[in-house]
Amino acid sequence: VLCNASLSLISFSLCSSRCPPASADDDVDLEQLVNDMNSSMESVYSTQTDTVERLRHSQPMHIKAVRNLQEEHQLHPASLPAIPNPFPELCSLTGSPILSPIQTSDNYIVKVWSEDGAGKVVEIPADMTTRDVCQLLVYKSHCLDDSAWSLVEHHPILGIERCVEDHELVVQVQASMSGDSKFLFRKNYAKYEFFRNPLNFFPEQMVAFCQESDGSIPPSQLLQNFLNSSSCPEIQGYLHVKEPGRKSWKKLYMFLRRSGLYYSTKGTSKEPRHLQVLSDLEDSNVFTVITGRKLHNAPTDYQFCIKPSKVRSDCKELKMLCAEDEQSRTCWMTAFRLFKYGIVLYQSYNVPQQRKSNLSPFTAPVRSVSENSLVAMDFSGRTGRVIDNPIEAQSAALEEGHTWRKRSQRMNVLGSPSPLHPSSLSTVIHRTQVWFHGRIMREEAHKMMIQQGQVDGLFLLRDSQSNPKAFVLTLCHHQKIKHFQILPCEEDGQVFFSLDDGATKFTDLIHLVEFYQLNRGVLPCKLKHPCTAVAL
């Protein structure tokens, strides 16, 4: 349409300008007329090209994501008047709360669960160790601070868990866990117990050294051989190994060294040509299996496994192992930790000891309750004396129990009947203690003792399932859990509690526990470590 209009306009102008009147001259210069027509067409095409260019510029254009403000200011130097900005703090990147860049912190969110199912969320930096997180949780939960608190890496789908070492970074451990895994906050008294009693953790028949030694190795030398990187100790013995992809187990003779875990293809041979590597120690961790023996068809209850760090939720990649008893399982798992971390474990063990020695004189005194530091004393005279005769010491302990009972009887005579009368208070006062767990089953008590480390003197008290008026003392000794019934007995109208059929009587369970924390009595060992369940 545009071309037709232009052509008609041109033809009209040509007719009006070039064509002379008919009356003047009838001859027409055709060559001149053709030249004029060509020049007119060129002007039409140029006009049309300019119009198309203008149309082409009016189409949407691509705008760059990042503009060069300096070039825009150079292109439009005086396009805007110089008006002062009334709100400069809103337009500057540093002062504006909207335009300022977001400050990304290096903190991470970690959720920790307690044994009662409650959870607590903490925000920690990337370089925070397990010990620091435990100290933070102890502070937030108002718990009694000691070195036994631990973080447990729990995998419910795999059915395994382990105590995270104090020096490990919590953020790195959390990065290697799957979505269903979680951290548990509980006590583990066996975490460094092998430094105090190494012979209980490393039986003589399971420990071997490259250098021949005459006679038994002293405990200090035993640990030095494990911590010294130049020595070559090893743990040896039979283990049941689960065959990959099957539920069957095979009994093999195993060797645990610094380089890894090996099994012998020919009996108990240690020759290199008969040894096959089962797992390394560098990129693996040792876990306790908590699902029971039925799930994996295990031959015994003492299962453990080696989990590579890259494995998250694949059971096929786990190296499932099974020991003959609890002592041998503890030996294998403790040696695995020593071989992997070495002197770092000893340094973590020494940190709480140094902290206690650096306490100010205004803090509460810390008393050692070691077996060798407690002796029977007689304070009946002007000065105290040590009782050397065991029979006399036992009679003194019985007399002390009778003294406590008489003291309580005097309180009953002098006191008046009230809701806080000792006779009624003695039946409920123990429920406020951390070692009392109420009406829990025997199996649950076993589970709690195993989780918190089966060390000598670990104990708890619970209600008896068979006798509603009685209680049960659950005690661990030599990695075996034993139960002792506490029976009530009535005398002169008052109820007492006794562990030894009335030979030693106590007005309440708190007196009973305090007595056996200082005196072994009929128990295999003294009460040392209360089995505690904390609520976050």
Side-chain angles (χ1 to χ4, degrees):
V1 175
L2 183 61
C3 294
N4 294 335
S6 301
L7 289 175
S8 60
L9 180 62
I10 293 172
S11 61
F12 175 76
S13 62
L14 288 175
C15 293
S16 59
S17 62
R18 296 294 181 182
C19 296
S23 60
D25 194 1
D26 292 337
D27 293 334
V28 178
D29 191 354
L30 295 180
E31 184 177 359
Q32 183 65 29
L33 182 60
V34 170
N35 293 333
D36 293 339
M37 290 290 292
N38 291 335
S39 61
S40 300
M41 291 299 296
E42 290 177 0
S43 64
V44 169
Y45 289 145
S46 62
T47 305
Q48 184 177 359
T49 303
D50 295 338
T51 305
V52 173
E53 288 294 330
R54 287 194 299 270
L55 290 175
R56 199 175 289 170
H57 281 294
S58 66
Q59 297 299 320
M61 297 180 63
H62 176 68
I63 300 175
K64 295 182 180 180
V66 181
R67 290 184 174 182
N68 192 340
L69 299 180
Q70 185 176 0
E71 292 181 359
E72 289 190 2
H73 288 306
Q74 292 177 356
L75 292 176
H76 308 284
S79 58
L80 293 177
I83 300 176
N85 185 7
F87 305 105
E89 67 277 1
L90 295 180
C91 297
S92 61
L93 292 178
T94 57
S96 174
I98 301 176
L99 300 179
S100 59
I102 300 176
Q103 298 293 333
T104 59
S105 61
D106 294 335
N107 292 346
Y108 295 83
I109 300 299
V110 175
K111 189 169 186 179
V112 183
W113 301 82
S114 61
E115 292 172 317
D116 61 350
K120 183 180 288 293
V121 177
V122 293
E123 185 178 2
I124 63 172
D127 58 347
M128 199 167 191
T129 62
T130 303
R131 184 185 293 276
D132 296 333
V133 173
C134 290
Q135 293 291 325
L136 178 63
L137 293 174
V138 165
Y139 172 77
K140 289 180 174 292
S141 304
H142 308 286
C143 304
L144 182 63
D145 186 13
D146 56 17
S147 59
W149 290 110
S150 306
L151 280 185
V152 177
E153 181 184 349
H154 180 73
H155 300 268
I157 293 182
L158 299 177
I160 59 176
E161 65 182 20
R162 77 174 179 102
C163 178
V164 183
E165 303 296 345
D166 284 341
H167 67 273
E168 292 188 74
L169 301 181
V170 177
V171 174
Q172 291 184 1
V173 177
Q174 183 175 248
S176 64
M177 298 166 59
S178 58
D180 63 285
S181 305
K182 56 185 178 181
F183 286 117
L184 303 178
F185 183 57
R186 72 161 72 113
K187 282 197 172 185
N188 182 16
Y189 292 102
K191 184 166 53 174
Y192 300 120
E193 186 66 19
F194 57 90
F195 285 118
R196 306 180 186 96
N197 303 304
L199 296 181
N200 294 341
F201 285 78
F202 300 104
E204 187 177 354
Q205 67 275 9
M206 294 185 63
V207 182
F209 297 94
C210 291
Q211 63 274 15
E212 296 295 334
S213 59
D214 298 332
S216 61
I217 301 176
S220 59
Q221 186 64 32
L222 176 65
L223 287 178
Q224 288 179 5
N225 288 332
F226 277 101
L227 298 176
N228 189 5
S229 58
S230 61
S231 62
C232 302
E234 67 179 10
I235 303 298
Q236 59 186 10
Y238 282 101
L239 282 176
H240 299 272
V241 183
K242 186 179 179 182
E243 299 185 28
R246 301 181 182 179
K247 285 193 174 183
S248 58
W249 296 72
K250 190 174 182 180
K251 191 174 183 180
L252 298 173
Y253 201 76
M254 311 287 292
F255 300 93
L256 181 60
R257 301 171 178 174
R258 299 188 192 276
S259 56
L261 180 63
Y262 302 86
Y263 66 91
S264 177
T265 58
K266 186 178 181 181
T268 60
S269 176
K270 290 186 179 181
E271 297 184 17
R273 60 192 181 95
H274 295 150
L275 294 183
Q276 295 290 331
V277 62
L278 182 68
S279 175
D280 64 340
L281 277 65
E282 184 66 26
D283 298 327
S284 303
N285 286 304
V286 61
F287 285 77
T288 304
V289 181
I290 58 176
T291 53
R293 58 187 300 183
K294 292 184 178 180
L295 180 63
H296 301 287
N297 196 25
T300 66
D301 292 325
Y302 312 105
Q303 303 177 68
F304 65 102
C305 74
I306 297 177
K307 173 183 172 292
S309 301
K310 62 180 180 180
V311 175
R312 292 179 178 265
S313 60
D314 190 5
C315 294
K316 298 180 180 179
E317 297 293 332
L318 302 180
K319 304 296 188 299
M320 305 294 297
L321 304 167
C322 192
E324 294 291 343
D325 51 27
E326 180 62 37
Q327 188 181 30
S328 60
R329 177 174 71 169
T330 305
C331 179
W332 286 103
M333 298 181 67
T334 306
F336 189 100
R337 295 171 56 203
L338 275 173
F339 283 146
K340 181 175 182 179
Y341 298 112
I343 197 64
V344 180
L345 289 184
Y346 187 70
Q347 294 172 353
S348 300
Y349 163 70
N350 278 334
V351 168
Q353 315 300 326
Q354 297 173 357
R355 186 182 304 164
K356 289 181 181 180
S357 61
N358 295 332
L359 289 175
S360 64
F362 300 100
T363 58
V366 180
R367 185 185 62 180
S368 174
V369 291
S370 172
E371 290 274 358
N372 301 324
S373 63
L374 297 177
V375 294
M377 297 289 295
D378 179 18
F379 295 100
S380 58
R382 292 185 177 180
T383 59
R385 67 181 184 90
V386 178
I387 302 177
D388 297 327
N389 190 355
I391 299 178
E392 185 183 359
Q394 186 175 3
S395 63
L398 295 176
E399 182 64 26
E400 187 178 357
H402 291 302
T403 304
W404 285 351
R405 181 179 61 181
K406 293 176 182 178
R407 186 189 313 150
S408 177
Q409 289 176 348
R410 289 195 298 269
M411 292 174 61
N412 293 343
V413 172
L414 298 175
S416 59
S418 64
L420 295 180
H421 196 272
S423 60
S424 61
L425 186 63
S426 62
T427 59
V428 296
I429 193 173
H430 53 269
R431 299 187 180 277
T432 61
Q433 303 301 307
V434 295
W435 38 257
F436 187 78
H437 295 270
R439 298 187 61 83
I440 62 174
M441 303 295 292
R442 176 186 288 248
E443 293 76 13
E444 189 174 353
H446 271 258
K447 180 180 178 182
M448 292 183 63
M449 301 284 280
I450 293 174
Q451 288 176 347
Q452 298 195 16
Q454 301 180 58
V455 298
D456 290 351
L458 179 64
F459 74 97
L460 63 85
L461 268 72
R462 56 187 176 89
D463 291 319
S464 176
Q465 299 294 324
S466 58
N467 188 351
K469 296 182 180 180
F471 302 93
V472 176
L473 169 65
T474 303
L475 177 65
C476 182
H477 179 63
H478 288 173
Q479 298 182 342
K480 293 182 180 180
I481 301 174
K482 302 179 181 180
H483 304 272
F484 303 89
Q485 198 167 34
I486 303 174
L487 297 174
C489 56
E490 187 173 350
E491 183 178 335
D492 299 334
Q494 187 177 357
V495 178
F496 297 93
F497 300 96
S498 177
L499 263 174
D500 49 8
D501 296 331
T504 309
K505 303 175 185 178
F506 305 93
T507 57
D508 55 56
L509 296 182
I510 296 181
H511 284 165
L512 185 144
V513 169
E514 290 177 348
F515 176 82
Y516 287 106
Q517 283 179 329
L518 299 176
N519 307 275
R520 191 181 71 175
V522 296
L523 300 177
C525 63
K526 299 174 185 177
L527 306 183
K528 293 183 179 180
H529 310 293
C531 189
T532 308
V534 65
L536 291 175

